[in-house]
Amino acid sequence: MKERVTLDHPKEKISKQHLTEEWVGKIYTWLCIIVLIVTIFSMVYFVASRGLTTFFRGVNVWEFISGLRWQPDAKPPIFGALPFIFGSFSTSIMAALIAAPLGFCAAIFMTEIMPKYGRRYLQPVIELLAGIPSVVYGFVGLSIIVPFLRDTFPGQGLGLAAGAIVLSIMILPTITTIATDALSALPGGLKEGSYALGATRWQTIYRIVLPTTFPALMTGVVLGISRAFGEALAVQMVIGNAPFLPRSLFDSTSTLTSVITLSMGNTVMNSPHNNALWSLALILMLMTFVFVFIVRWLERRTKI
Amino acid sequence: MKKSLLLVMTLVLSITLAACGGNNTTNNGTNNGTPNNSQGSTNTGGNNTPETEPPAAELEGQILAVGSSAMAPLVEEAANKFMDENGKVTVLVQAGGSGTGLTQVSEGQSDIGNSDIFAEEKFVDDEAPKAAELVDHQIAVVAMAAVVNPEVGIDNLTQAQLLQIFKGEVTNWSEVGGIDQEIVIVNRPSSSGTRKTFESYALGEASPDLPGQIQEESSGNVRKLIGETPGAIGYLALSYLDDSITALSYDGIEPTEENVTNGEYPIWAYQHMYTKGEPSELVQAFLDFMLSDEVQTNDVVELGYIPASAMTIVRDVEGNVTQK
């Protein structure tokens, strides 16, 4: 009798314990999810409500996006954000154009050519780049890249080119890491088949490896572009910040982020200028959504 | 079914969360100020004066000062000293820009709004009534000078010449007596208080943004760029002047502290600490401390400002100068 009771008791206890565990886990997960969703929704709502105010107060959406003049202090103020939109796109795409070949080559080196040394030494070094604070990039850009461009090319050194170069170094780790993962996930059979047919290593790399992993490589590039698109501080330090379309690669211009960081703190809430900055933030956010969709679309094509 | 429920829940939550934000910070400062006030008034006629006599020891609470990042080091220094003297007081200083400071003090989110520009110049048109609610406390003066790259070869510019340069009408230094070198303008963003001050008191009118112009907010970067870029011109607070750049005289008057205090050199601005309405006892005590000799002759001077007390003239929002 006694023994049975002592045997039964722990069993019940254990099942009860499991039940509470189950519930604690469930509630905890739900709470986390709710907090997460609320945060995301409130952020989107906040930026959208602020950003749309400009358009409710008589600024034409099309004029805002396509206008070339940005004169928040004029009477009446003129808000044309095209120079900033152009600046953001051109710096991030140029940065990707510089960083993508470098990143792909580094990835090929690390997976195909010298996996042992590449993985052991090169990868940590490139990943280290991701951990450097952006203000350091900005300052290095201002101290090294800007004087170099100033001495070598016409202009003051600050501008599109300086911004693109700084950004390209910043997005290198993103592109390299994703490319390395994609290349090493490639089934060995494909490469072996290629070698068996008598292809050289280089032929295998650019006829088999690169085309097969192309969507995955592009995912890295798009993620890099979206990181460059959202980067504020480093770009702001080297791009010059004139609110105009640049006349050359070495001419001072602005990006969406640089204009927001420069003026947000200096303007008072609800002033037309401040609202216009929120509208820029809204454009920035919408563009980030677009990048996320492109990445999702590319990922669906990645299945080898 | 579950999805729609989730959506509704998040919407409700986000709305309630949004509704209860804000307005929490001020109450600490003001609430704690008032009990002290009433205690003081009941005791003035009573007998037990010895116990409540030292008023400094009674201060308790929290002060939040938000605003101009240029002013933050000064206010922080003073705040640390103030907290050392009054153990129960916490003074929080946040740098977020003059606009942020004025917005937050006007909405009651902070006790003090630091600004390097008059509130009337920030709150314009529809927002003008907000400036009227704010009480100005001028704690220091910052003077600025037009500065150029040393190789340009000039040390004085008139108001008319400066205006021509910043309007883009003069584009080569040889036109104003310097070497044959293209002028590169290192300006501030149009929202900057430093730029407003420079435009109001040096140029006399607002200057347009020009294509190719460099715009930088941080004074350190402005100095670095002017020092390195051939033909560069910009403007800096006097505390940032060093050998890498040349400070220009303005209409023949040198940018010195003496010329600022006696009113001869016009390019300067007050550093304001705004409160919404009259400050509480606690905030008033801190503002008095800012204006005390301990801060004015030490921290203010060390950080490159000119003490408000040293000024022999007073200037109002419109720029009218009167003798003190």
Side-chain angles (χ1 to χ4, degrees), chain B residues 263-280:
Chain B
E264 282 193 37
Y265 185 82
I267 317 174
W268 54 269
Y270 287 114
Q271 303 286 290
H272 311 265
M273 290 176 85
Y274 279 99
T275 52
K276 189 177 188 182
E278 287 302 325
S280 67

Side-chain angles (χ1 to χ4, degrees), chain B residues 211-244:
Chain B
Q213 178 183 76
I214 297 164
Q215 295 192 352
E216 272 292 343
E217 174 71 60
S218 118
S219 297
N221 285 350
V222 168
R223 178 174 64 191
K224 186 172 158 65
L225 283 170
I226 295 175
E228 290 174 357
T229 311
I233 182 172
Y235 39 92
L236 283 169
L238 295 193
S239 52
Y240 281 93
L241 301 183
D242 67 7
D243 294 339
S244 66

Side-chain angles (χ1 to χ4, degrees), chain A residues 141-189:
Chain A
L142 198 60
S143 309
I144 295 170
I145 296 169
V146 168
F148 169 74
L149 292 175
R150 182 165 53 218
D151 297 339
T152 322
F153 299 101
Q156 289 93 51
L158 295 119
L160 268 190
I165 292 171
V166 168
L167 282 178
S168 68
I169 305 167
M170 294 183 78
I171 65 175
L172 197 59
T174 313
I175 294 181
T176 313
T177 311
I178 292 178
T180 314
D181 290 347
L183 292 183
S184 44
L186 194 68

Side-chain angles (χ1 to χ4, degrees), chain A residues 30 34 37-38 73 142-143 150 156 158 236-237 240-244 247 251-252 262-263 265-269, chain B residues 6 10 13 17 96-97 99-100 103 122 184 190-191 209-217 221 224-225 228-229:
Chain A
W30 268 90
I34 287 172
I37 293 174
V38 167
D73 292 331
L142 198 60
S143 309
R150 182 165 53 218
Q156 289 93 51
L158 295 119
Q236 186 233 299
M237 286 170 81
N241 301 310
F244 296 96
R247 294 161 296 188
D251 200 18
S252 165
L262 266 189
S263 292
N266 284 328
T267 53
V268 291
M269 276 275 188
Chain B
L6 199 74
T10 50
L13 264 171
L17 273 184
T100 308
T103 310
K122 281 280 183 197
V184 177
S190 59
S191 56
D209 290 325
L210 298 171
Q213 178 183 76
I214 297 164
Q215 295 192 352
E216 272 292 343
E217 174 71 60
N221 285 350
K224 186 172 158 65
L225 283 170
E228 290 174 357
T229 311

Side-chain angles (χ1 to χ4, degrees), chain B residues 66-85:
Chain B
V66 182
S68 164
S69 30
M71 276 172 76
L74 171 63
V75 183
E76 222 157 85
E77 285 281 309
N80 287 337
K81 282 191 181 177
F82 189 69
M83 285 190 281
D84 287 345
E85 287 180 16

Side-chain angles (χ1 to χ4, degrees), chain B residues 29 59-66 72 74-94 111-112 114 273 282-287 289-290:
Chain B
L59 287 172
E60 194 180 337
Q62 200 183 48
I63 304 176
L64 179 63
V66 182
L74 171 63
V75 183
E76 222 157 85
E77 285 281 309
N80 287 337
K81 282 191 181 177
F82 189 69
M83 285 190 281
D84 287 345
E85 287 180 16
N86 304 283
K88 289 178 177 172
V89 179
T90 319
V91 185
L92 292 173
V93 183
Q94 288 174 8
D111 305 300
I112 299 174
N114 300 329
M273 290 176 85
L282 177 68
V283 174
Q284 183 65 53
F286 179 58
L287 291 170
F289 182 72
M290 289 292 308

Side-chain angles (χ1 to χ4, degrees), chain A residues 101-112:
Chain A
L102 292 176
F104 293 168
C105 288
I108 290 170
F109 182 82
M110 284 190 282
T111 50
E112 306 291 329

